Amino acid sequence: MHDFSYIGKSFCCEKVNLKKIAQEFGTPTYVYSYKTLTDHYLKLDRAFDYIHHTICYSIKANSNIAICKLLADQGCGADVVSGGELYRAIKAGIKSDKIVYAGVGKTEDEIKFALLSNILLFNSESQAELELINKIAGELNRRPKIGLRINPDVDAGTHAYITTGKKENKFGISLDEAFKIYKTAGKYRNLEFRGIHIHIGSQITSIQPYVEAIKKAVDFINKLKGEGIKIDYFNIGGGLGIIYDKETPAKASEFANSLKPLLKGLNCSLIIEPGRFITGNAGVLLTKVLFVKKSVNKKFVIVDAAMNDLVRPSLYDAYHNILPLQKSEGKISSEVVDIVGPVCESGDFFAKDRKLPFVESNDVLAILSAGAYGFSMSSNYNSRPRSAEVLVKNDQCYLIRKRETYPDLIRNEKIPAVLKRIGTGK
Ligand code: PLP
């Protein structure tokens, strides 16, 4: 569900005509709905009412500080995977005791920053990293809580690039190794081993892989209990799928209810790390048609957004629904086109052989379901300034990230003195 729809002939976000946003802020521009973001958060939060839990929004999905602040205001925590994400989370006002830090490779500086920030849990997934956290914690006189990320060896049934819970993936520790670590936890004198973490992948549309992975994790927690080792936090990761096209993902309530029997009696605080579920369908990317070009057997709609703005189609062959902002009576006949960007790569496309209402230069299109892994995965490839971001609340819109400029592109670059004769031809 989301709050993007046609009101009359105009495609709107909540009560704001998206054409107005395109005129005021230009294109390409990401637009997010406040209502959709809060609704998605609250749906999941309420669905897990039956158990003590914290929703730690996975900042990587959309890390704009205004989005993080909006979620912080609802009581949301954060799942971070870098010092930069931790910085954003804190700046957005997310409480440090609701921040969990995952990732296979944390640097010394990042570990120090997280220790000094008093985060809730380090989700760690190697002995080498545990040793490093233990060492730095000792130096800083801290005693952080650790959640071991285990690899349940479960196939999440999603795209190979976003499958993370199979034994051949780089993520997590095998159950045998994790058991050994817990049994010898005393050697890490500065660490408190308090949690178990799993995250089996992203855009998971079936509950079954979750049930399978959670059963394994629960058995593992009970095995530890049998050894007198108490686990206080069970982090089930994120990965909840959304509708891009014809998917039929489980509703938040169905998801929560199907886990209820597994979590009963576990006596752990639950952590859930959704990213895409909260922001995916809460954002669209507005892009203007530059030209329509016919080749021998194809018609290309060339737009001003590109793979540097939204890489999902190029990277995962991902589907995004694309709609014109204006339903036009005179132009109802549709045609089959490729919608492509201006970047110099054949992989720079948003849709192939897609039926689209007839469009022409200067029409604006909305690429739907672009709120997660859209702007956060964007780049300056082809020296393209990154797009603006706008938040809509009811009938108002707010610029939450300025469009980059050409000077922004070279702001951190330097020409060393040795090259001072550049341009002289000598
Ligand atoms: N938690 C962890 C550890 C992740 O690596 C990810 C995504 O890569 C997420 C949560 C969020 O996943 P999603 O956006 O699919 O919910």
Side-chain angles (χ1 to χ4, degrees):
M1 289 302 294
H2 56 74
D3 294 271
F4 294 88
S5 62
Y6 285 101
I7 300 181
K9 293 193 184 308
S10 303
F11 197 54
C12 297
C13 175
E14 301 190 21
K15 292 187 181 147
V16 176
N17 187 339
L18 286 167
K19 199 171 164 194
K20 219 188 84 193
I21 293 186
Q23 279 162 356
E24 188 173 341
F25 300 101
T27 53
T29 290
Y30 276 93
V31 183
Y32 309 111
S33 157
Y34 176 96
K35 184 165 183 304
T36 312
L37 289 161
T38 43
D39 277 359
H40 287 172
Y41 168 75
L42 291 173
K43 259 186 201 149
L44 201 58
D45 191 40
R46 285 177 189 148
F48 281 95
D49 259 353
Y50 64 81
I51 186 168
H52 184 275
H53 68 274
T54 308
I55 296 192
C56 293
Y57 166 60
S58 194
I59 294 228
K60 65 176 81 63
N62 185 323
S63 45
N64 185 292
I65 190 165
I67 306 276
C68 298
K69 168 77 169 74
L70 174 169
L71 292 168
D73 288 348
Q74 303 293 326
C76 191
D79 154 50
V80 302
V81 289
S82 69
E85 285 192 354
L86 176 57
Y87 177 79
R88 280 181 181 278
I90 291 167
K91 285 283 173 197
I94 294 179
K95 294 211 173 93
S96 57
D97 62 0
K98 288 186 174 185
I99 298 178
V100 293
Y101 189 167
V104 290
K106 304 173 188 76
T107 66
E108 283 200 30
D109 282 348
E110 288 176 320
I111 293 167
K112 266 184 207 157
F113 179 29
L115 284 169
L116 295 174
S117 304
N118 291 320
I119 62 166
L120 174 62
L121 274 174
F122 281 86
N123 291 319
S124 189
E125 31 190 315
S126 70
Q127 296 208 40
E129 189 182 81
L130 287 170
E131 278 158 23
L132 185 61
I133 301 173
N134 183 53
K135 177 178 151 284
I136 302 171
E139 286 161 10
L140 296 177
N141 206 15
R142 305 276 156 150
R143 199 172 159 77
K145 293 194 276 295
I146 302 290
L148 270 196
R149 177 164 173 179
I150 55 171
N151 184 323
D153 193 21
V154 165
D155 186 354
T158 185
H159 191 286
Y161 289 5
I162 46 177
T163 293
T164 55
K166 288 175 78 178
K167 64 175 184 299
E168 56 269 33
N169 300 134
K170 68 178 173 184
F171 301 99
I173 299 177
S174 72
L175 294 177
D176 286 347
E177 194 188 338
F179 189 68
K180 279 186 207 140
I181 293 175
Y182 262 97
K183 289 286 283 179
T184 56
K187 76 176 193 190
Y188 302 99
R189 290 188 22 222
N190 307 309
L191 306 183
E192 270 186 47
F193 285 79
R194 301 272 295 275
I196 288 295
H197 178 215
I198 54 171
H199 172 74
I200 57 172
S202 197
Q203 182 54 12
I204 304 168
T205 50
S206 153
I207 296 177
Q208 199 43 42
Y210 281 106
V211 169
E212 213 182 309
I214 287 171
K215 262 189 191 152
K216 285 191 181 179
V218 167
D219 286 349
F220 184 70
I221 292 172
N222 285 330
K223 183 174 166 189
L224 291 176
K225 214 190 251 175
E227 298 286 324
I229 301 164
K230 168 96 175 66
I231 295 298
D232 298 310
Y233 300 94
F234 180 25
N235 183 339
I236 61 169
L240 289 165
I242 62 166
I243 301 173
Y244 285 98
D245 184 14
K246 296 187 176 73
E247 300 88 344
T248 50
K251 291 195 177 102
S253 54
E254 291 165 350
F255 175 66
N257 288 338
S258 57
L259 303 189
K260 203 171 183 176
L262 302 177
L263 302 172
K264 204 173 159 202
L266 198 58
N267 223 358
C268 285
S269 180
L270 196 71
I271 295 172
I272 313 149
E273 303 173 329
R276 190 187 311 267
F277 178 87
I278 293 180
T279 57
N281 274 320
V284 302
L285 174 60
L286 302 183
T287 182
K288 190 170 77 178
V289 176
L290 297 175
F291 311 108
V292 178
K293 170 178 159 173
K294 277 193 188 128
S295 72
V296 183
N297 53 2
K298 281 257 182 198
K299 194 162 186 182
F300 295 100
V301 172
I302 302 166
V303 294
D304 65 355
M307 64 189 287
N308 74 296
D309 300 299
L310 175 66
V311 77
R312 297 189 69 259
S314 310
L315 190 61
Y316 312 121
D317 222 0
Y319 178 95
H320 285 264
N321 193 7
I322 301 178
L323 297 172
L325 292 198
Q326 206 59 31
K327 265 191 195 166
S328 167
E329 268 170 328
K331 302 192 229 168
I332 41 171
S333 66
S334 52
E335 47 187 358
V336 174
V337 298
D338 280 11
I339 302 168
V340 302
V343 158
C344 304
E345 305 266 350
S346 295
D348 179 27
F349 65 89
F350 293 115
K352 286 195 165 164
D353 297 322
R354 182 75 63 84
K355 219 172 171 191
L356 188 76
F358 179 81
V359 291
E360 52 196 358
S361 296
N362 294 320
D363 284 351
V364 181
L365 304 175
I367 304 178
L368 271 57
S369 313
Y373 307 104
F375 189 94
S376 64
M377 288 179 100
S378 68
S379 75
N380 290 121
Y381 185 45
N382 273 207
S383 284
R384 290 168 49 84
R386 280 185 293 175
S387 56
E389 293 179 286
V390 170
L391 179 69
V392 169
K393 186 174 184 214
N394 198 16
D395 58 357
Q396 299 294 316
C397 56
Y398 308 91
L399 183 66
I400 58 171
R401 194 182 208 273
K402 278 200 296 196
R403 180 178 310 288
E404 286 179 352
T405 61
Y406 291 150
D408 288 335
L409 292 177
I410 56 167
R411 191 168 308 288
N412 294 320
E413 297 173 25
K414 279 196 167 66
I415 297 176
V418 69
L419 300 179
K420 64 178 181 296
R421 288 202 208 164
I422 202 166
T424 63
K426 288 182 186 163

